[in-house]
Amino acid sequence: MPNATAAPMVMAFGLTLALSSVVMHLAFAVVGLVIAVGGLVYWIRHLTPGAGVHWEEWVPESNRPQPVQVSPRGVSSIQSGMPGHRLRVPAEIYPYSAGLKGGIVGGAMMALTALAYGHFSGHGIWYPVNLLSAMVIPAFNNMGAEDLDKFHLMGLIVGTIIHVVTSIIVGLFFGIILPMCPRWPLLWGGLVAPLLWSGFVYGFMGVLNPVMSEQVDWPWFFVSQFAFGITMGFVVMQSTKVQIQQVLEVETQQSADNSQHSQPDES
């Protein structure tokens, strides 16, 4: 076995001193090179055959690892529900389809809220649709409030596609992360998610949709986001939870044990 030596540390210390001369003084380079060369020479001598090693005796036969004795007996695996069984937590979660349904229904409620804003604000129901379409249609970026109040077929088509696709994506995303926060989906969907989403949109609206950033009524925008989140969370709560597969690993282990027991004894 190789003996312990401080030669690498001495050599590293010498190189450090030598490099420090760049900002310190030339004398550090001279001293550092002397120490580094000395450490290197001592290291080389330590690695020469017959030096820097010591002999270890063989471990006695009684202290060596013994071959593993395979037992022919089977082991009963712990089943789900038995004491000592390690459950996968949470044991029940909402299915991903619940988030999809919640996104669709929440998107419909959000659309009704936006149309209500257009009606009560005096702009008309097509105003929020055209504002949303301005994210994709460049011609809408040059329109004034009067033009945005009018009906535009292309704006209706594009706005509907953007709203439907966004609602579905947000609903699926909510359904995917829901197992990580299984309790109180109404709180996560109706309060936490709208706050995070509204803050993100508020910060990047000037880049995503400059026209909507100038024309949008932010209180109504926040109300529509909360309407979407509360509706989505309520729909998710009405869904039936599904159980996590707890016995999958047990069944796999049992199959491995059975295949091992079925092998013929070569001895």
Side-chain angles (χ1 to χ4, degrees):
M1 299 293 292
N3 284 327
T5 175
M9 298 182 61
V10 174
M11 180 179 174
F13 177 70
L15 293 176
T16 303
L17 285 179
L19 293 176
S20 66
S21 65
V22 178
V23 294
M24 301 293 288
H25 194 272
L26 186 61
F28 284 87
V30 178
V31 176
L33 289 176
V34 172
I35 296 177
V37 172
L40 178 61
V41 172
Y42 178 66
W43 198 359
I44 293 175
R45 291 186 57 186
H46 183 78
L47 296 177
T48 54
V53 296
H54 67 275
W55 298 94
E56 288 284 348
E57 297 181 358
W58 287 98
V59 178
E61 186 70 25
S62 59
N63 294 338
R64 297 180 185 179
Q66 301 299 319
V68 178
Q69 301 295 329
V70 180
S71 175
R73 297 180 301 173
V75 179
S76 300
S77 301
I78 299 179
Q79 302 293 335
S80 177
M82 294 176 59
H85 181 258
R86 180 177 297 178
L87 293 176
R88 295 182 181 178
V89 179
E92 294 181 345
I93 62 172
Y94 292 101
Y96 295 154
S97 59
L100 176 62
K101 297 176 183 177
I104 295 175
V105 179
M109 180 59 65
M110 183 179 179
L112 293 177
T113 306
L115 295 179
Y117 156 71
H119 174 73
F120 290 109
S121 64
H123 291 285
I125 61 175
W126 306 117
Y127 182 73
V129 179
N130 295 328
L131 286 180
L132 184 60
S133 303
M135 182 183 300
V136 179
I137 304 177
F140 282 24
N141 294 327
N142 301 323
M143 291 184 179
E146 296 181 357
D147 294 330
L148 293 174
D149 294 345
K150 301 177 182 178
F151 170 76
H152 299 278
L153 179 60
M154 184 58 65
L156 176 61
I157 296 175
V158 173
T160 303
I161 293 176
I162 294 176
H163 180 69
V164 172
V165 172
T166 305
S167 300
I168 292 177
I169 292 177
V170 174
L172 284 175
F173 180 75
F174 182 74
I176 291 174
I177 67 173
L178 197 58
M180 292 183 286
C181 46
R183 294 184 178 181
W184 312 300
L186 189 61
L187 173 64
W188 290 98
L191 181 61
V192 178
L195 287 176
L196 295 177
W197 176 253
S198 299
F200 172 81
V201 173
Y202 182 81
F204 289 91
M205 182 63 74
V207 178
L208 299 175
N209 194 340
V211 176
M212 190 173 182
S213 178
E214 297 176 358
Q215 303 290 342
V216 69
D217 189 325
W218 287 107
W220 272 95
F221 179 83
F222 294 145
V223 170
S224 63
Q225 298 299 318
F226 283 109
F228 174 84
I230 292 174
T231 305
M232 180 176 61
F234 180 78
V235 172
V236 170
M237 291 182 61
Q238 303 307 311
S239 304
T240 303
K241 290 184 177 182
V242 295
Q243 292 185 350
I244 298 296
Q245 294 183 359
Q246 302 287 349
V247 297
L248 180 60
E249 296 180 356
V250 176
E251 294 175 352
T252 305
Q253 183 65 31
Q254 287 179 345
S255 301
D257 294 341
N258 294 335
S259 62
Q260 182 178 3
H261 294 162
S262 62
Q263 295 178 357
D265 190 358
E266 296 180 357
S267 61

